[in-house]
Amino acid sequence: MELQDKVALVTGGAHRVGKAVALALAREGMHVVVHYGTSEAAARETVAEIKSLGVRALPVRADLRDPAQIQALFATVKAEFGRLDVLVNSAASFVRQPFDEIGLDDWKDVLQVNLRAPFLCTQHAARLMRAVVRPPDEPAAIINIADLSGIYPWRGYVQHGVSKAGLLHLTKVTAYELAPAIRVNAIVPGAVLPPPGVDPQGETWANLGARTPLGRTGHPDYVAQTAVFLARNDYITGAAIPVDGGEHLVGTLK
Ligand SMILES: NC(=O)c1ccc[n+]([C@@H]2O[C@H](COP(=O)([O-])OP(=O)(O)OC[C@H]3O[C@@H](n4cnc5c(N)ncnc54)[C@H](OP(=O)(O)O)[C@@H]3O)[C@@H](O)[C@H]2O)c1
């Protein structure tokens, strides 16, 4: 798909990996809706950076645990831009919790954000994407950001891993359901950005990188470049691309 002047929505686009993806799509000439949950100031900064590239951008808040707010998010996209060409489901809840302590609400919160929200966003996006007449060889694109916990179990990340495994399968079933009008793919990043509280210069983070075949941690831009590639390439659907320095070759590191 030619990305110039098309419209993208990036969930969790205010900062970190989502921001890198939003900026990369904007550099390709896309207008970008920057979804955020609580990071309003960061979302406004990201929107200002995107606008400085000469494209349109809009910050939109929605708690992804709430289907009504997801519906309102897509109503805003429709009202403000009238179309949607690329959806990136990047927002996620990253929770580590001892198995015995996982309560119903803990389970529900993570599954709602990491799996139900991408499903609902895909459903709303598909309606908007299909409403536009497109060349048959230029489908719209949905990109889900998973991680290796959806393939290999990570100790302590029970509901997270289950949600990401579900997201990887959602990618395949929606790729099949929505073809040929819409392509759906996943990116499976490895260690590209330390979670809050983990020192990027510290030993823990460096050790994670050292144990990958490429011997180093990555950067959000590697994920962003892959998102642009998947948005552009009109003949890939149902794929899950690891962007992990080869971590998937050696199994779980956690
Ligand atoms: N960082 C890595 O190395 C890495 C590795 C593998 C995979 N990934 C995946 O890449 C994606 C982005 O990673 P990241 O590290 O940038 O994630 P992050 O810092 O944990 O950011 C997640 C985003 O999700 C949003 N979010 C969480 N709960 C929400 C809710 N209830 N409603 C609305 N928004 C909500 C947050 O928005 P607000 O801040 O606005 O609340 C935040 O921007 C995730 O899917 C993650 O699993 C990351």
Side-chain angles (χ1 to χ4, degrees):
M1 179 176 18
E2 171 54 54
L3 301 182
Q4 184 78 34
D5 273 332
K6 302 277 178 34
V7 177
L9 163 61
V10 181
T11 70
H15 56 150
R16 295 176 52 82
V17 175
K19 175 178 181 172
V21 172
L23 278 166
L25 293 171
R27 280 187 213 104
E28 298 297 311
M30 294 199 85
H31 310 292
V32 185
V33 179
V34 176
H35 158 268
Y36 66 97
T38 54
S39 302
E40 182 172 355
R44 291 195 183 285
E45 270 176 40
T46 300
V47 160
E49 272 185 62
I50 291 173
K51 283 181 173 169
S52 74
L53 297 168
V55 294
R56 291 177 65 200
L58 186 71
V60 184
R61 201 191 87 76
D63 184 339
L64 295 177
R65 291 169 301 182
D66 180 357
Q69 292 189 39
I70 294 174
Q71 187 170 16
L73 165 65
F74 283 85
T76 302
V77 175
K78 186 176 180 185
E80 295 290 329
F81 293 88
R83 65 183 293 146
L84 183 64
D85 303 285
V86 173
L87 164 67
V88 181
N89 285 310
S90 179
S93 161
F94 189 54
V95 175
R96 177 177 199 152
Q97 203 173 15
F99 182 80
D100 283 340
E101 291 175 17
I102 300 167
L104 275 184
D105 284 343
D106 302 319
W107 178 268
K108 198 174 72 182
D109 277 358
V110 172
L111 270 289
Q112 282 180 350
V113 177
N114 294 8
L115 184 56
R116 188 177 74 179
F119 162 68
L120 291 172
C121 288
T122 297
Q123 213 174 35
H124 286 294
R127 290 176 191 135
L128 270 180
M129 287 167 165
R130 284 185 182 128
V132 172
V133 179
R134 304 170 185 281
D137 56 353
E138 281 197 23
I142 296 176
I143 299 164
N144 295 320
I145 314 286
D147 66 29
L148 288 165
S149 74
I151 302 168
Y152 304 106
W154 291 353
R155 202 177 286 277
Y157 292 91
V158 176
Q159 62 272 49
H160 180 86
V162 170
S163 70
K164 291 294 192 182
L167 185 62
L168 286 168
H169 200 60
L170 181 74
T171 302
K172 290 187 195 172
V173 297
T174 51
Y176 203 6
E177 285 286 336
L178 301 176
I182 300 165
R183 297 180 298 105
V184 187
N185 292 290
I187 299 173
V188 190
V192 294
L193 190 64
V198 173
D199 179 2
Q201 311 304 333
E203 213 176 310
T204 310
W205 189 245
N207 284 342
L208 265 185
R211 288 154 66 192
T212 67
L214 293 187
R216 58 191 165 89
T217 54
H219 189 278
D221 285 345
Y222 291 126
V223 177
Q225 288 161 13
T226 312
V228 169
F229 164 74
L230 285 173
R232 275 196 177 287
N233 191 307
D234 292 310
Y235 204 56
I236 300 180
T237 197
I241 301 186
V243 180
D244 65 355
E247 186 177 340
H248 66 284
L249 299 171
V250 293
T252 182
L253 297 177
K254 297 198 174 56

PDB file of all heavy atoms in Angstrom, residues 44-69:
ATOM      1  N   ARG A  44       0.323  14.214  23.703  1.00  0.00           N
ATOM      2  CA  ARG A  44       0.331  15.543  23.057  1.00  0.00           C
ATOM      3  C   ARG A  44       1.701  15.853  22.455  1.00  0.00           C
ATOM      4  O   ARG A  44       1.804  16.424  21.377  1.00  0.00           O
ATOM      5  CB  ARG A  44      -0.092  16.619  24.061  1.00  0.00           C
ATOM      6  CG  ARG A  44      -1.553  16.504  24.432  1.00  0.00           C
ATOM      7  CD  ARG A  44      -2.131  17.711  25.133  1.00  0.00           C
ATOM      8  NE  ARG A  44      -3.511  17.445  25.494  1.00  0.00           N
ATOM      9  CZ  ARG A  44      -4.532  17.432  24.626  1.00  0.00           C
ATOM     10  NH1 ARG A  44      -4.326  17.707  23.352  1.00  0.00           N
ATOM     11  NH2 ARG A  44      -5.760  17.139  25.037  1.00  0.00           N
ATOM     12  N   GLU A  45       2.757  15.469  23.186  1.00  0.00           N
ATOM     13  CA  GLU A  45       4.121  15.678  22.652  1.00  0.00           C
ATOM     14  C   GLU A  45       4.330  14.882  21.370  1.00  0.00           C
ATOM     15  O   GLU A  45       4.896  15.378  20.387  1.00  0.00           O
ATOM     16  CB  GLU A  45       5.159  15.207  23.674  1.00  0.00           C
ATOM     17  CG  GLU A  45       5.593  16.286  24.640  1.00  0.00           C
ATOM     18  CD  GLU A  45       6.541  15.728  25.694  1.00  0.00           C
ATOM     19  OE1 GLU A  45       7.415  14.904  25.346  1.00  0.00           O
ATOM     20  OE2 GLU A  45       6.374  16.094  26.865  1.00  0.00           O
ATOM     21  N   THR A  46       3.882  13.638  21.388  1.00  0.00           N
ATOM     22  CA  THR A  46       4.056  12.793  20.194  1.00  0.00           C
ATOM     23  C   THR A  46       3.286  13.384  19.021  1.00  0.00           C
ATOM     24  O   THR A  46       3.786  13.432  17.882  1.00  0.00           O
ATOM     25  CB  THR A  46       3.577  11.355  20.501  1.00  0.00           C
ATOM     26  OG1 THR A  46       4.368  10.859  21.570  1.00  0.00           O
ATOM     27  CG2 THR A  46       3.708  10.439  19.300  1.00  0.00           C
ATOM     28  N   VAL A  47       2.071  13.843  19.295  1.00  0.00           N
ATOM     29  CA  VAL A  47       1.260  14.450  18.234  1.00  0.00           C
ATOM     30  C   VAL A  47       1.970  15.689  17.673  1.00  0.00           C
ATOM     31  O   VAL A  47       2.003  15.896  16.447  1.00  0.00           O
ATOM     32  CB  VAL A  47      -0.146  14.787  18.774  1.00  0.00           C
ATOM     33  CG1 VAL A  47      -0.847  15.815  17.914  1.00  0.00           C
ATOM     34  CG2 VAL A  47      -0.972  13.507  18.858  1.00  0.00           C
ATOM     35  N   ALA A  48       2.568  16.495  18.558  1.00  0.00           N
ATOM     36  CA  ALA A  48       3.286  17.688  18.082  1.00  0.00           C
ATOM     37  C   ALA A  48       4.456  17.270  17.185  1.00  0.00           C
ATOM     38  O   ALA A  48       4.685  17.866  16.119  1.00  0.00           O
ATOM     39  CB  ALA A  48       3.784  18.508  19.267  1.00  0.00           C
ATOM     40  N   GLU A  49       5.182  16.224  17.587  1.00  0.00           N
ATOM     41  CA  GLU A  49       6.318  15.739  16.762  1.00  0.00           C
ATOM     42  C   GLU A  49       5.831  15.258  15.400  1.00  0.00           C
ATOM     43  O   GLU A  49       6.455  15.515  14.371  1.00  0.00           O
ATOM     44  CB  GLU A  49       7.022  14.572  17.452  1.00  0.00           C
ATOM     45  CG  GLU A  49       8.112  15.000  18.415  1.00  0.00           C
ATOM     46  CD  GLU A  49       8.869  13.794  18.974  1.00  0.00           C
ATOM     47  OE1 GLU A  49       9.490  13.066  18.190  1.00  0.00           O
ATOM     48  OE2 GLU A  49       8.812  13.596  20.199  1.00  0.00           O
ATOM     49  N   ILE A  50       4.696  14.545  15.423  1.00  0.00           N
ATOM     50  CA  ILE A  50       4.156  14.018  14.155  1.00  0.00           C
ATOM     51  C   ILE A  50       3.737  15.172  13.249  1.00  0.00           C
ATOM     52  O   ILE A  50       4.052  15.195  12.048  1.00  0.00           O
ATOM     53  CB  ILE A  50       2.981  13.057  14.432  1.00  0.00           C
ATOM     54  CG1 ILE A  50       3.502  11.784  15.099  1.00  0.00           C
ATOM     55  CG2 ILE A  50       2.236  12.715  13.138  1.00  0.00           C
ATOM     56  CD1 ILE A  50       2.420  10.838  15.576  1.00  0.00           C
ATOM     57  N   LYS A  51       3.046  16.164  13.840  1.00  0.00           N
ATOM     58  CA  LYS A  51       2.587  17.302  13.026  1.00  0.00           C
ATOM     59  C   LYS A  51       3.766  18.057  12.421  1.00  0.00           C
ATOM     60  O   LYS A  51       3.655  18.600  11.318  1.00  0.00           O
ATOM     61  CB  LYS A  51       1.750  18.253  13.880  1.00  0.00           C
ATOM     62  CG  LYS A  51       0.335  17.747  14.133  1.00  0.00           C
ATOM     63  CD  LYS A  51      -0.411  18.771  14.952  1.00  0.00           C
ATOM     64  CE  LYS A  51      -1.877  18.422  15.098  1.00  0.00           C
ATOM     65  NZ  LYS A  51      -2.553  19.272  16.094  1.00  0.00           N
ATOM     66  N   SER A  52       4.889  18.089  13.139  1.00  0.00           N
ATOM     67  CA  SER A  52       6.048  18.816  12.607  1.00  0.00           C
ATOM     68  C   SER A  52       6.585  18.147  11.336  1.00  0.00           C
ATOM     69  O   SER A  52       7.385  18.726  10.605  1.00  0.00           O
ATOM     70  CB  SER A  52       7.153  18.928  13.665  1.00  0.00           C
ATOM     71  OG  SER A  52       7.785  17.676  13.813  1.00  0.00           O
ATOM     72  N   LEU A  53       6.143  16.904  11.073  1.00  0.00           N
ATOM     73  CA  LEU A  53       6.551  16.218   9.838  1.00  0.00           C
ATOM     74  C   LEU A  53       5.639  16.588   8.662  1.00  0.00           C
ATOM     75  O   LEU A  53       5.812  16.087   7.551  1.00  0.00           O
ATOM     76  CB  LEU A  53       6.513  14.699  10.057  1.00  0.00           C
ATOM     77  CG  LEU A  53       7.480  14.162  11.117  1.00  0.00           C
ATOM     78  CD1 LEU A  53       7.153  12.711  11.464  1.00  0.00           C
ATOM     79  CD2 LEU A  53       8.919  14.280  10.628  1.00  0.00           C
ATOM     80  N   GLY A  54       4.601  17.411   8.947  1.00  0.00           N
ATOM     81  CA  GLY A  54       3.745  17.903   7.866  1.00  0.00           C
ATOM     82  C   GLY A  54       2.508  17.063   7.616  1.00  0.00           C
ATOM     83  O   GLY A  54       1.864  17.204   6.575  1.00  0.00           O
ATOM     84  N   VAL A  55       2.183  16.161   8.546  1.00  0.00           N
ATOM     85  CA  VAL A  55       0.959  15.359   8.404  1.00  0.00           C
ATOM     86  C   VAL A  55       0.017  15.687   9.568  1.00  0.00           C
ATOM     87  O   VAL A  55       0.404  16.360  10.521  1.00  0.00           O
ATOM     88  CB  VAL A  55       1.274  13.837   8.389  1.00  0.00           C
ATOM     89  CG1 VAL A  55       2.064  13.473   7.144  1.00  0.00           C
ATOM     90  CG2 VAL A  55       2.019  13.424   9.652  1.00  0.00           C
ATOM     91  N   ARG A  56      -1.204  15.193   9.469  1.00  0.00           N
ATOM     92  CA  ARG A  56      -2.164  15.433  10.551  1.00  0.00           C
ATOM     93  C   ARG A  56      -1.968  14.410  11.663  1.00  0.00           C
ATOM     94  O   ARG A  56      -1.547  13.276  11.408  1.00  0.00           O
ATOM     95  CB  ARG A  56      -3.598  15.321  10.028  1.00  0.00           C
ATOM     96  CG  ARG A  56      -3.998  16.432   9.080  1.00  0.00           C
ATOM     97  CD  ARG A  56      -5.409  16.202   8.570  1.00  0.00           C
ATOM     98  NE  ARG A  56      -6.400  16.295   9.635  1.00  0.00           N
ATOM     99  CZ  ARG A  56      -7.627  15.779   9.566  1.00  0.00           C
ATOM    100  NH1 ARG A  56      -8.002  15.100   8.488  1.00  0.00           N
ATOM    101  NH2 ARG A  56      -8.477  15.921  10.562  1.00  0.00           N
ATOM    102  N   ALA A  57      -2.309  14.812  12.882  1.00  0.00           N
ATOM    103  CA  ALA A  57      -2.227  13.868  14.008  1.00  0.00           C
ATOM    104  C   ALA A  57      -3.220  14.306  15.069  1.00  0.00           C
ATOM    105  O   ALA A  57      -3.537  15.494  15.193  1.00  0.00           O
ATOM    106  CB  ALA A  57      -0.824  13.838  14.592  1.00  0.00           C
ATOM    107  N   LEU A  58      -3.711  13.315  15.802  1.00  0.00           N
ATOM    108  CA  LEU A  58      -4.728  13.600  16.809  1.00  0.00           C
ATOM    109  C   LEU A  58      -4.536  12.649  17.995  1.00  0.00           C
ATOM    110  O   LEU A  58      -4.454  11.438  17.803  1.00  0.00           O
ATOM    111  CB  LEU A  58      -6.107  13.346  16.178  1.00  0.00           C
ATOM    112  CG  LEU A  58      -7.338  13.716  16.995  1.00  0.00           C
ATOM    113  CD1 LEU A  58      -7.476  15.236  17.085  1.00  0.00           C
ATOM    114  CD2 LEU A  58      -8.588  13.109  16.356  1.00  0.00           C
ATOM    115  N   PRO A  59      -4.494  13.202  19.226  1.00  0.00           N
ATOM    116  CA  PRO A  59      -4.445  12.307  20.380  1.00  0.00           C
ATOM    117  C   PRO A  59      -5.868  11.935  20.795  1.00  0.00           C
ATOM    118  O   PRO A  59      -6.742  12.803  20.835  1.00  0.00           O
ATOM    119  CB  PRO A  59      -3.792  13.178  21.468  1.00  0.00           C
ATOM    120  CG  PRO A  59      -4.146  14.582  21.105  1.00  0.00           C
ATOM    121  CD  PRO A  59      -4.425  14.627  19.622  1.00  0.00           C
ATOM    122  N   VAL A  60      -6.126  10.668  21.044  1.00  0.00           N
ATOM    123  CA  VAL A  60      -7.468  10.250  21.484  1.00  0.00           C
ATOM    124  C   VAL A  60      -7.316   9.302  22.672  1.00  0.00           C
ATOM    125  O   VAL A  60      -6.617   8.291  22.586  1.00  0.00           O
ATOM    126  CB  VAL A  60      -8.259   9.546  20.358  1.00  0.00           C
ATOM    127  CG1 VAL A  60      -9.672   9.216  20.840  1.00  0.00           C
ATOM    128  CG2 VAL A  60      -8.320  10.405  19.113  1.00  0.00           C
ATOM    129  N   ARG A  61      -8.005   9.634  23.755  1.00  0.00           N
ATOM    130  CA  ARG A  61      -7.930   8.806  24.955  1.00  0.00           C
ATOM    131  C   ARG A  61      -8.990   7.710  24.932  1.00  0.00           C
ATOM    132  O   ARG A  61     -10.129   7.945  24.504  1.00  0.00           O
ATOM    133  CB  ARG A  61      -8.180   9.679  26.196  1.00  0.00           C
ATOM    134  CG  ARG A  61      -7.656   9.097  27.484  1.00  0.00           C
ATOM    135  CD  ARG A  61      -8.172   9.858  28.691  1.00  0.00           C
ATOM    136  NE  ARG A  61      -9.465   9.325  29.114  1.00  0.00           N
ATOM    137  CZ  ARG A  61      -9.637   8.190  29.776  1.00  0.00           C
ATOM    138  NH1 ARG A  61      -8.592   7.449  30.111  1.00  0.00           N
ATOM    139  NH2 ARG A  61     -10.827   7.777  30.105  1.00  0.00           N
ATOM    140  N   ALA A  62      -8.639   6.535  25.379  1.00  0.00           N
ATOM    141  CA  ALA A  62      -9.649   5.476  25.583  1.00  0.00           C
ATOM    142  C   ALA A  62      -9.057   4.435  26.520  1.00  0.00           C
ATOM    143  O   ALA A  62      -7.907   4.014  26.335  1.00  0.00           O
ATOM    144  CB  ALA A  62     -10.023   4.811  24.259  1.00  0.00           C
ATOM    145  N   ASP A  63      -9.829   4.058  27.521  1.00  0.00           N
ATOM    146  CA  ASP A  63      -9.436   2.925  28.353  1.00  0.00           C
ATOM    147  C   ASP A  63      -9.831   1.658  27.602  1.00  0.00           C
ATOM    148  O   ASP A  63     -11.018   1.400  27.381  1.00  0.00           O
ATOM    149  CB  ASP A  63     -10.139   2.997  29.712  1.00  0.00           C
ATOM    150  CG  ASP A  63      -9.679   1.879  30.645  1.00  0.00           C
ATOM    151  OD1 ASP A  63      -9.154   0.851  30.155  1.00  0.00           O
ATOM    152  OD2 ASP A  63      -9.846   2.037  31.867  1.00  0.00           O
ATOM    153  N   LEU A  64      -8.843   0.905  27.209  1.00  0.00           N
ATOM    154  CA  LEU A  64      -9.103  -0.245  26.328  1.00  0.00           C
ATOM    155  C   LEU A  64      -9.792  -1.392  27.052  1.00  0.00           C
ATOM    156  O   LEU A  64     -10.158  -2.385  26.428  1.00  0.00           O
ATOM    157  CB  LEU A  64      -7.799  -0.718  25.680  1.00  0.00           C
ATOM    158  CG  LEU A  64      -7.143   0.295  24.727  1.00  0.00           C
ATOM    159  CD1 LEU A  64      -5.819  -0.251  24.197  1.00  0.00           C
ATOM    160  CD2 LEU A  64      -8.066   0.648  23.560  1.00  0.00           C
ATOM    161  N   ARG A  65      -9.994  -1.266  28.370  1.00  0.00           N
ATOM    162  CA  ARG A  65     -10.777  -2.284  29.077  1.00  0.00           C
ATOM    163  C   ARG A  65     -12.264  -2.063  28.860  1.00  0.00           C
ATOM    164  O   ARG A  65     -13.084  -2.905  29.213  1.00  0.00           O
ATOM    165  CB  ARG A  65     -10.458  -2.239  30.585  1.00  0.00           C
ATOM    166  CG  ARG A  65      -9.048  -2.700  30.923  1.00  0.00           C
ATOM    167  CD  ARG A  65      -8.700  -2.396  32.351  1.00  0.00           C
ATOM    168  NE  ARG A  65      -8.803  -0.958  32.631  1.00  0.00           N
ATOM    169  CZ  ARG A  65      -8.513  -0.380  33.788  1.00  0.00           C
ATOM    170  NH1 ARG A  65      -8.099  -1.113  34.793  1.00  0.00           N
ATOM    171  NH2 ARG A  65      -8.624   0.918  33.942  1.00  0.00           N
ATOM    172  N   ASP A  66     -12.616  -0.897  28.281  1.00  0.00           N
ATOM    173  CA  ASP A  66     -14.022  -0.517  28.180  1.00  0.00           C
ATOM    174  C   ASP A  66     -14.476  -0.516  26.704  1.00  0.00           C
ATOM    175  O   ASP A  66     -14.080   0.366  25.927  1.00  0.00           O
ATOM    176  CB  ASP A  66     -14.183   0.885  28.800  1.00  0.00           C
ATOM    177  CG  ASP A  66     -15.611   1.374  28.739  1.00  0.00           C
ATOM    178  OD1 ASP A  66     -16.480   0.673  28.166  1.00  0.00           O
ATOM    179  OD2 ASP A  66     -15.855   2.489  29.243  1.00  0.00           O
ATOM    180  N   PRO A  67     -15.310  -1.473  26.318  1.00  0.00           N
ATOM    181  CA  PRO A  67     -15.743  -1.540  24.913  1.00  0.00           C
ATOM    182  C   PRO A  67     -16.397  -0.245  24.422  1.00  0.00           C
ATOM    183  O   PRO A  67     -16.249   0.112  23.239  1.00  0.00           O
ATOM    184  CB  PRO A  67     -16.760  -2.695  24.914  1.00  0.00           C
ATOM    185  CG  PRO A  67     -16.355  -3.549  26.064  1.00  0.00           C
ATOM    186  CD  PRO A  67     -15.831  -2.600  27.112  1.00  0.00           C
ATOM    187  N   ALA A  68     -17.106   0.475  25.293  1.00  0.00           N
ATOM    188  CA  ALA A  68     -17.763   1.718  24.863  1.00  0.00           C
ATOM    189  C   ALA A  68     -16.714   2.771  24.496  1.00  0.00           C
ATOM    190  O   ALA A  68     -16.902   3.540  23.538  1.00  0.00           O
ATOM    191  CB  ALA A  68     -18.670   2.237  25.974  1.00  0.00           C
ATOM    192  N   GLN A  69     -15.615   2.794  25.231  1.00  0.00           N
ATOM    193  CA  GLN A  69     -14.556   3.770  24.916  1.00  0.00           C
ATOM    194  C   GLN A  69     -13.824   3.378  23.630  1.00  0.00           C
ATOM    195  O   GLN A  69     -13.364   4.239  22.882  1.00  0.00           O
ATOM    196  CB  GLN A  69     -13.584   3.899  26.095  1.00  0.00           C
ATOM    197  CG  GLN A  69     -14.247   4.544  27.313  1.00  0.00           C
ATOM    198  CD  GLN A  69     -13.275   4.896  28.415  1.00  0.00           C
ATOM    199  OE1 GLN A  69     -12.160   5.343  28.166  1.00  0.00           O
ATOM    200  NE2 GLN A  69     -13.706   4.711  29.659  1.00  0.00           N
TER     201      GLN A  69
END
